[in-house]
Amino acid sequence: MSAESTGQTIVQKILARHAGRERVEPGEHLTCVPDHVATQELNWPTIRRNLDRVGPPGLKRPDKIIVVIDHTPSAATGSPHAATHYLLKSLTRDLRIGHFFGPGTGLRHLVLVEKGFARPGSLIFSDEGNIASVGAVGALNISMSPDILVPLIKDENWVTVPRTVRIDLVGQMPFGVNARDIVQTLLRDWGQGQFLQCCVEYGGPALASLSMDDRQTLLASTFHSMSDTAVMEVDDLALAYVDARAQGRPYEVVRPDPDAHYHLRLTIDLSTLSPMVTVPPEQTGATPVEQVAGLQVDQATIGSCAGNRLQDMRDAALILRGRKVAPHVTMYITPGSAEVYAQAAREGLLEVFAEAGAAVLTPGCNTCWGYLGVLSGKEVSITTHQFNYQGRNGSEEARVFLASPLTVAASAVEGKIADPRPYLQQAAYAAYLADGADDTLGGAPGASRAAPRGGH
C-alpha cells in the first residue's frame, strides 16, 4: 500500500492542520503557523541583538509568545543573568509579549501544561527538544533553536514533516519501577539513531496506567533517542486535565488513523522492567541498579524536566520520610513549578526533605544544567537530570549517573548507589500508587494514579 493511500499519524495531522493542508507526507517541507512560541531567558540576549539587526516594526503575534525565566531563577550578585532578568522584564513590556513568567514560576514545560497553553492538537514552536513533554496532553512541540527568532517575528516557520515511530506500551510496571525506568531502558535499546528525524508516538493499553506526571517524564527524555519530537494519544485522564486548565481556549483531539503508516512500530512490555541507572557518559548506558549498587556518591539531586513534578516529589518523600541523607552526601531537590512547590508544601513534603537534610531550591532548571549544585574534582552524582556527559555539571572528571527519584532518594540515604525496593514496603507502595496520586497537578481532580501500577 502506498503512502498516499494510507492514513495519517498524529504528527502528520497536526502539521497539516497548521499548514492549511488536508494531508502531508514525511519529508515534505511546510510553512506552519504555531499556536504558541515558547522561549527561555538564556536565548534572549542573542534574540535582542538579532531583533536590533533585523529592525522589524514589531512582533507579528506577540500575544502568542510565552517567555519564562526558568534556567536562572536565583541569579546571584555578579551573575550576568540578573541583567538578563532586567532585560526581559522591560523587553516583554516594550514588545507587548503576551505571556511573561518571572523567576520562580518554574520550567516552560510545566507552565505550558499547567496554564492551559498546551492542548490537544496544538502546535508549539520552542527552543528545546525536551518540551515534547507537552505531548502528554496531545500537543506537538517542534524545537527550532536558534531559528526561534523566525516565528517570533513572522508567526510562522518551515517544518520538515518527520516520519513516525509508534511505541505501544503493554503490561504492568513491577514493584519499585517508574516512568523514568521506562525511558532509560528505551534509550539503551533504541538510542543509537533508529529514531532519527522521527516523531515518537506513544499509545497502547498500558498508557492508561501512567499518570500525567509519568507521561510527561517519558516524553521529556524521549528526545535523547535523536527523535525530532514525541507525542501521546490522549485519553479521559488527559482530557480531564486539559478541561480543568484550558481556561476556555479551544482544542481538537487528534488521533492516528487505523491505517496510519509508521516508519517503525515497537511494543514495550512494562512488566519486564526493573530500576535502572544510566552510567556516564552515554545516554544509552542504562543498566539494572544492582550492576552499579555500592558505588559511593557525593551528590544526589532530584529535578530537571525529567524529574521535578509532584509525583517525583512524592516518590522522593516516600523514601526520605523518617530517614537522613548520608553525612557525606549533598542533596538538592527542585520542584518544577510554583504550583508543584505549593502543593508539595501543603502535603508536608518540603518538611520531609528539610528534616532529611536535603536543600529545596527555587522552582526552575537549576542543578540540571549546572547553574547550581556544581560538581568538583572526581565527585559522583546520582540524579534525575537529563544529561550525563562529561563536564555537564562542572568538573570533567566528575561522573553523573541518571536514575528515577526513588533510586536517587535511596542512594542519598545510603550514601552509595542503592536499589530503592528494600526501602519500600510492597503493600504500602501499592496503596500509595492507588491512593496518592493524580489531582489537579498530576492528572484530573480526584483521579487515581493507578491501581496498583496496572490498568484501570
Side-chain angles (χ1 to χ4, degrees):
M1 184 177 291
S2 67
E4 287 75 20
S5 62
T6 59
Q8 302 269 285
T9 65
I10 293 175
V11 67
Q12 287 175 276
K13 288 186 174 184
I14 293 177
L15 291 180
R17 181 178 302 167
H18 288 80
R21 297 268 299 274
E22 287 295 321
R23 61 179 293 125
V24 298
E25 302 300 337
E28 282 194 86
H29 301 293
L30 312 173
T31 296
C32 293
V33 177
D35 293 287
H36 289 288
V37 181
T39 69
Q40 47 95 346
E41 75 274 21
L42 297 183
N43 292 324
W44 271 88
T46 300
I47 290 173
R48 173 61 186 271
R49 288 193 296 271
N50 288 332
L51 283 173
D52 290 342
R53 292 189 186 104
V54 174
L59 306 179
K60 187 172 181 180
R61 289 294 303 271
D63 58 307
K64 290 185 178 183
I65 298 170
I66 301 165
V67 179
V68 185
I69 293 178
D70 64 2
H71 275 59
T72 61
S74 303
T77 300
S79 164
H81 303 301
T84 300
H85 294 192
Y86 178 77
L87 166 71
L88 275 177
K89 289 176 182 177
S90 58
L91 196 60
T92 52
R93 180 187 63 246
D94 295 343
L95 295 175
R96 298 182 180 180
I97 287 174
H99 309 282
F100 170 70
F101 298 92
T105 305
L107 288 175
R108 303 180 309 299
H109 317 58
L110 272 73
V111 167
L112 287 166
V113 294
E114 289 176 352
K115 305 298 182 183
F117 297 117
R119 304 176 306 284
S122 61
L123 176 63
I124 294 171
F125 288 163
S126 79
D127 50 9
E128 218 167 322
N130 49 36
I131 296 177
S133 56
V134 299
V137 294
L140 180 68
N141 172 69
I142 297 294
S143 173
M144 52 186 54
S145 183
D147 294 335
I148 199 70
L149 181 66
V150 176
L152 288 174
I153 294 174
K154 299 183 64 180
D155 188 38
E156 65 180 25
N157 203 2
W158 67 268
V159 175
T160 302
V161 181
R163 301 170 296 181
T164 301
V165 171
R166 171 75 179 198
I167 298 180
D168 290 298
L169 304 177
V170 301
Q172 177 177 310
M173 279 196 286
F175 171 62
V177 173
N178 77 7
R180 186 60 185 264
D181 299 309
I182 302 174
V183 73
Q184 289 182 218
T185 303
L186 173 69
L187 297 178
R188 180 196 65 188
D189 297 340
W190 295 94
Q192 293 82 27
Q194 297 96 324
F195 299 171
L196 193 65
Q197 297 179 336
C198 292
C199 171
V200 177
E201 179 184 289
Y202 287 97
L207 188 61
S209 69
L210 302 183
S211 72
M212 293 303 295
D213 285 356
D214 282 330
R215 300 176 196 193
Q216 292 179 71
T217 292
L218 182 55
L219 289 161
S221 294
T222 297
F223 87 110
H224 291 300
S225 67
M226 305 184 195
S227 59
D228 286 354
T229 188
V231 70
M232 282 179 174
E233 292 198 65
V234 295
D235 57 10
D236 290 344
L237 179 66
L239 292 178
Y241 182 98
V242 171
D243 288 340
R245 296 168 178 277
Q247 301 179 43
R249 301 183 185 99
Y251 65 84
E252 184 175 347
V253 175
V254 177
R255 304 191 189 280
D257 291 327
D259 60 342
H261 174 74
Y262 294 104
H263 170 65
L264 185 64
R265 189 157 191 164
L266 309 172
T267 298
I268 297 179
D269 184 351
L270 304 187
S271 69
T272 65
L273 304 180
S274 63
M276 304 295 286
V277 174
T278 296
V279 178
E282 303 295 339
Q283 288 285 334
T284 55
T287 188
V289 64
E290 52 266 29
Q291 299 297 318
V292 289
L295 177 67
Q296 181 171 309
V297 299
D298 304 287
Q299 186 184 103
T301 52
I302 293 174
S304 91
C305 55
N308 63 12
R309 295 171 181 83
L310 181 61
Q311 184 173 307
D312 301 310
M313 303 296 109
R314 289 169 171 165
D315 284 353
L318 195 65
I319 287 182
L320 293 176
R321 189 181 304 276
R323 298 186 172 104
K324 296 288 186 182
V325 173
H328 67 275
V329 174
T330 301
M331 188 174 196
Y332 298 104
I333 298 177
T334 305
S337 69
E339 189 171 315
V340 172
Y341 189 103
Q343 183 63 24
R346 284 190 287 268
E347 295 183 12
L349 307 184
L350 304 186
E351 181 180 2
V352 171
F353 301 151
E355 290 182 346
V360 180
L361 303 179
T362 304
C365 189
N366 289 325
T367 57
C368 182
W369 72 292
Y371 183 62
L372 298 173
V374 177
L375 297 172
S376 300
K378 296 183 179 181
E379 285 188 314
V380 172
S381 171
I382 186 162
T383 178
T384 64
H385 290 169
Q386 284 277 20
F387 294 96
N388 63 341
Y389 60 80
Q390 287 178 287
R392 168 69 176 183
N393 295 95
S395 171
E396 292 193 4
E397 295 181 295
R399 289 188 292 166
V400 177
F401 293 78
L402 308 179
S404 74
L406 293 169
T407 300
V408 171
S411 302
V413 170
E414 201 157 314
K416 53 191 177 183
I417 295 179
D419 190 327
R421 289 170 292 191
Y423 289 83
L424 301 169
Q425 293 182 351
Q426 190 155 358
Y429 187 60
Y432 158 73
L433 295 179
D435 298 339
D438 280 317
D439 51 20
T440 54
L441 291 168
S448 175
R449 173 176 166 188
R453 277 297 193 195
H456 284 51

